[in-house]
Amino acid sequence: MAAGGTGQPSTGPGEKGEKGGARTALAGLTTRGRSFLAAGIAAAICAYVLGQPDLLRVGLLLAALPLICAAVVYRTRYRVAGSRRLSPARVPAGSEARVHLRMDNVSRLPTGLLMLQDRVPYVLGPRPRFVLDRVEAGGRREVSYRVRSDLRGRYPLGPLQLRLSDPFGMCELTRAFSTYDTLTVIPRVEPLPPVRLSGEAKGYGDGRLRALALAGEDDVIPRGYRYGDDLRRVHWRLTARYGELMVRREEQPQRSRCTVLLDTRGLAYQGAGPDSAFEWAVSGAASVLVHMLERGFSVRLLTDTGNSVPGEGSDGFAGASQESADAAGLMMDTLAVVDHSDGTGLSRAYDVLRGGNEGLLVAFLGDLDEEQAAVAAKMRQRSGGAVAFLLDGDSWAREPNGVPDPMNRQEERLRMLREAGWTALSVPRGASLNELWRQADRERAGVMTGSGTNGGEGWS
């Protein structure tokens, strides 16, 4: 059985030969079959004790019926092929996906009654079961069911199980296909409004050009002519100097960069479940990643452990077109399974960020002590713009109508980040990322107006 296509034909019961056949057949007896067998044996014993030959015949009939059914089911040989198709294979948390199952009878004999069952994790819903009536030779049957999960993750589906039963329901034998598929439940993505803090509003920075050869970004100096190059790009002066055709460079816009930092430290968050602070941070990071990719930015996902997605290729950032789409899928798959880390600080993430100009930095941070707040403040030095969403641990930990903690250190941490140049916002329980996104735009616009600065790295 394979996803998206027909798997290799699988042989039904009876393919393993006679060894252990009796044991396998008897193990497949249902409650009804065992009851008939027990009743037949009891009737035969009573007939022997009481000397009633008629009762003995009834007992033998009762005992023989389940045994005959078990033998018939075990000796039945069907060759069937199964396939499973997920639509879609990657779905946001809280949304439904449909699973399509298809069974093909590839033998020359029609099948009997088939019971089809697919194994799914309990978080996706009840285990689906289907009853397939007689399938003619070369025929097929298609069924489908829906799955839904409020928890992100990667969930295996399968293997698909096929149960064969006799018409009297005395015996059932189960055979399972060998392969399974995986449903990826990614975090919820909230659409964000296009806003502009300052300077550039597009992912391709206006006015920022760098020289690139016609063949692409890997060529940073004039190169020799290659078959298929436009002759209008030939650099005749260099051609005369080197004695061979040389292609001149052309100017192309440089893509603006955005790094999304996700704090995954276990000690920085309290609670668990779909409505916890950590899940809000993961969903927020996914929303910003998708939004910035749609705006044309080169983006990457960075965690407190220093791990970056995508990896070292393309300078650690998602590129253009197909490469960007692949990187977006990789980042969403990473967020689908991201969990709390055992780290206690943000120093590893800071070591990655201080290596170069990161463009726009958007951070989702949990509880920070004074030391980690200072480390986060230093991250602003290597970015063109920095926005921090600091989750209020006290607000998320207490009940919605609870009393605020008078020792709340949230304002002190926000002050440290703002003094370092961050646009820092507190995230209380139940906050909307859409509204916070607009608020960050307003606060940054006010800071830039007050300081009289019009340049810098913009976002949208």
Side-chain angles (χ1 to χ4, degrees):
M1 180 179 59
T6 303
Q8 294 297 322
S10 298
T11 304
E15 63 179 344
K16 294 184 178 180
E18 299 299 332
K19 184 177 180 180
R23 180 180 301 177
T24 302
L26 292 177
L29 289 176
T30 62
T31 302
R32 179 184 300 177
R34 295 176 186 272
S35 300
F36 267 67
L37 182 61
I41 294 175
I45 295 175
C46 292
Y48 177 78
V49 173
L50 300 176
Q52 297 291 331
D54 293 338
L55 182 59
L56 177 61
R57 286 192 289 270
V58 173
L60 292 178
L61 177 62
L62 292 176
L65 182 60
L67 297 177
I68 294 174
C69 291
V72 171
V73 171
Y74 181 78
R75 296 295 300 178
T76 301
R77 297 176 183 269
Y78 298 139
R79 298 188 69 245
V80 295
S83 65
R84 181 192 294 106
R85 178 171 56 88
L86 305 181
S87 178
R90 183 187 291 122
V91 62
S95 300
E96 289 185 346
R98 183 168 288 275
V99 183
H100 301 269
L101 302 177
R102 179 175 132 180
M103 297 298 300
D104 294 89
N105 181 11
V106 297
S107 66
R108 298 180 180 180
L109 298 176
T111 69
L113 186 67
L114 300 179
M115 287 180 287
L116 196 63
Q117 176 178 279
D118 206 7
R119 300 185 62 182
V120 300
Y122 72 94
V123 296
L124 298 183
R127 180 171 296 182
R129 294 181 174 90
F130 305 93
V131 177
L132 303 182
D133 218 345
R134 179 179 179 273
V135 182
E136 64 279 6
R140 71 177 56 170
R141 295 290 186 271
E142 295 184 4
V143 293
S144 65
Y145 64 93
R146 294 178 295 179
V147 291
R148 179 181 180 274
S149 174
D150 292 326
L151 298 175
R152 56 185 175 82
R154 292 173 62 86
Y155 301 101
L157 301 179
L160 190 63
Q161 293 181 336
L162 193 63
R163 288 187 178 182
L164 293 96
S165 176
D166 65 278
F168 300 101
M170 297 289 181
C171 181
E172 288 184 359
L173 293 182
T174 302
R175 291 293 183 267
F177 293 88
S178 59
T179 60
Y180 62 91
D181 299 303
T182 301
L183 175 68
T184 302
V185 181
I186 62 177
R188 294 184 179 92
V189 175
E190 182 177 352
L192 301 179
V195 299
R196 180 178 180 180
L197 291 183
S198 61
E200 303 162 356
K202 298 179 180 179
Y204 291 88
D206 298 339
R208 285 196 309 160
L209 302 177
R210 72 175 179 180
L212 294 175
L214 182 63
E217 298 185 3
D218 292 334
D219 297 315
V220 296
I221 60 174
R223 59 172 176 80
Y225 174 83
R226 298 172 185 171
Y227 179 78
D229 287 337
D230 191 345
L231 292 177
R232 292 175 295 180
R233 299 290 94 195
V234 174
H235 197 298
W236 297 109
R237 181 179 300 178
L238 291 176
T239 297
R241 177 182 301 178
Y242 292 104
E244 61 177 332
L245 287 176
M246 302 294 293
V247 177
R248 70 172 182 266
R249 295 177 292 179
E250 66 177 9
E251 291 185 336
Q252 295 180 0
Q254 182 183 10
R255 292 168 63 90
S256 298
R257 291 180 171 183
C258 175
T259 297
V260 178
L261 172 61
L262 176 61
D263 182 8
T264 64
R265 295 172 300 139
L267 55 81
Y269 300 93
Q270 301 182 41
D275 298 325
S276 64
F278 181 66
E279 292 302 320
W280 191 98
V282 173
S283 177
S287 301
V288 173
L289 286 170
V290 171
H291 177 75
M292 301 310 290
L293 280 172
E294 291 176 349
R295 303 296 295 180
F297 278 70
S298 294
V299 301
R300 73 170 172 180
L301 172 66
L302 180 66
T303 65
D304 59 288
T305 61
N307 294 328
S308 177
V309 182
E312 299 300 326
S314 301
D315 200 20
F317 286 84
S321 64
Q322 183 62 36
E323 181 184 350
S324 178
D326 294 341
L330 179 60
M331 287 185 285
M332 297 305 290
D333 288 346
T334 301
L335 288 176
V337 296
V338 69
D339 202 355
H340 292 296
S341 69
D342 297 331
T344 58
L346 303 173
S347 57
R348 293 183 180 178
Y350 171 70
D351 293 338
V352 175
L353 291 172
R354 70 179 180 179
N357 188 356
E358 301 301 319
L360 176 65
L361 175 60
V362 182
F364 292 86
L365 305 173
D367 288 335
L368 299 177
D369 56 24
E370 185 175 356
E371 179 182 356
Q372 300 311 315
V375 174
K378 292 189 295 182
M379 295 179 182
R380 172 65 179 85
Q381 301 172 0
R382 301 301 299 176
S383 62
V387 181
F389 298 97
L390 185 59
L391 278 77
D392 188 351
D394 294 333
S395 174
W396 286 88
R398 66 172 181 267
E399 296 297 326
N401 298 325
V403 180
D405 186 357
M407 302 299 292
N408 186 5
R409 300 173 297 175
Q410 186 79 351
E411 290 300 326
E412 176 64 21
R413 304 296 178 251
L414 291 172
R415 183 189 62 80
M416 294 179 61
L417 295 178
R418 288 165 180 165
E419 289 180 351
W422 285 82
T423 301
L425 301 177
S426 178
V427 181
R429 184 186 183 95
S432 169
L433 179 61
N434 190 296
E435 294 299 325
L436 292 174
W437 192 253
R438 296 180 185 274
Q439 181 181 349
D441 174 39
R442 293 192 296 268
E443 291 192 9
R444 179 62 182 268
V447 171
M448 301 306 295
T449 302
S451 61
T453 303
N454 294 321
E457 182 80 17
W459 68 324
S460 59

